[in-house]
Amino acid sequence: MLDKKVSELLNNQINKEFYSAYLYLDFSNYYYDQGLDGFGNWFKVQAQEERDHAMLFIQYMQNNGEKIVLDAVDKPDVALTDAKTVLEETLKHEQYVTSLIHNIYDAAYSVKDFRTMQFLDWFVKEQGEEENNADNLIKRFELFGDDPKSLYMLDNELGARVYAAPSLVL
């Protein structure tokens, strides 16, 4: 059995990951509405990743005999005013998720729950990649966003992203 606080934080993370999937689907829809199908695709793939992150947390909880409580998924509340703002909100959200993962890790560390810490190691690394990807998208958009031809090329590049399920062994 897991420590009560660690279990609660892990369960909360499941719900936060499902919210992240909703948020990125909302971002995807925004870009499709703007005619930026590549950006829309990139965020659709991102939503799939977030859903799978939730599923990994669920599997970990189940493997440890923990009860899972699924909350209602909140409607995304980010104002989608322009393409760059969406990218900036993505980085902010990833930084927030990183802080949540760190809080769980800290709680596990405080009770010497090495198994949970080992499980979270993958997510710590993943969050570093997520923040880097979001930051790079912002930088690339700032470089190319005002030039229609460059934006078209960037949109095409993002449209080539395909989903790859995480390879985390529980």
Side-chain angles (χ1 to χ4, degrees):
M1 294 232 348
L2 297 174
D3 174 78
K4 182 176 168 57
K5 180 179 179 184
V6 171
S7 180
E8 288 172 0
L9 289 170
L10 288 166
N11 196 94
N12 183 54
Q13 191 63 32
I14 292 167
N15 292 292
K16 295 295 186 181
E17 296 291 342
F18 281 127
Y19 172 79
S20 295
Y22 263 42
L23 180 67
Y24 291 147
L25 280 175
D26 198 36
F27 290 0
S28 175
N29 291 334
Y30 170 81
Y31 283 116
Y32 278 116
D33 289 345
Q34 300 301 309
L36 293 168
D37 292 0
F39 282 82
N41 174 70
W42 194 92
F43 278 99
K44 190 186 308 179
V45 170
Q46 197 65 25
Q48 290 173 299
E49 281 190 11
E50 301 303 338
R51 183 214 52 216
D52 276 359
H53 293 170
M55 298 305 289
L56 289 169
F57 278 100
I58 287 171
Q59 187 64 55
Y60 182 76
M61 295 280 286
Q62 289 170 338
N63 289 351
N64 285 280
E66 295 295 316
K67 180 165 176 51
I68 296 158
V69 178
L70 297 177
D71 296 330
V73 178
D74 292 334
K75 180 181 183 208
D77 60 354
V78 176
L80 307 178
T81 56
D82 61 72
K84 183 180 175 192
T85 299
V86 174
L87 299 177
E88 292 167 341
E89 290 296 328
T90 300
L91 178 58
K92 282 199 282 190
H93 183 72
E94 290 300 339
Q95 291 167 335
Y96 169 68
V97 172
T98 297
S99 74
L100 295 173
I101 299 292
H102 288 178
N103 287 341
I104 303 168
Y105 202 102
D106 186 53
Y109 179 78
S110 71
V111 295
K112 298 185 183 202
D113 181 352
F114 302 112
R115 186 173 358 145
T116 298
M117 290 164 52
Q118 183 180 22
F119 168 71
L120 291 172
D121 283 342
W122 183 87
F123 288 96
V124 170
K125 181 179 180 239
E126 175 72 5
Q127 281 309 119
E129 292 173 10
E130 298 287 11
E131 287 185 30
N132 189 48
N133 289 340
D135 188 51
N136 284 339
L137 271 178
I138 293 168
K139 288 176 182 170
R140 293 173 74 198
F141 188 84
E142 287 172 343
L143 284 172
F144 306 124
D146 291 335
D147 175 43
K149 290 178 184 174
S150 296
L151 181 58
Y152 176 79
M153 290 174 59
L154 179 57
D155 189 58
N156 279 337
E157 180 184 323
L158 296 178
R161 183 181 187 198
V162 295
Y163 179 68
S167 58
L168 175 64
V169 178
L170 300 177

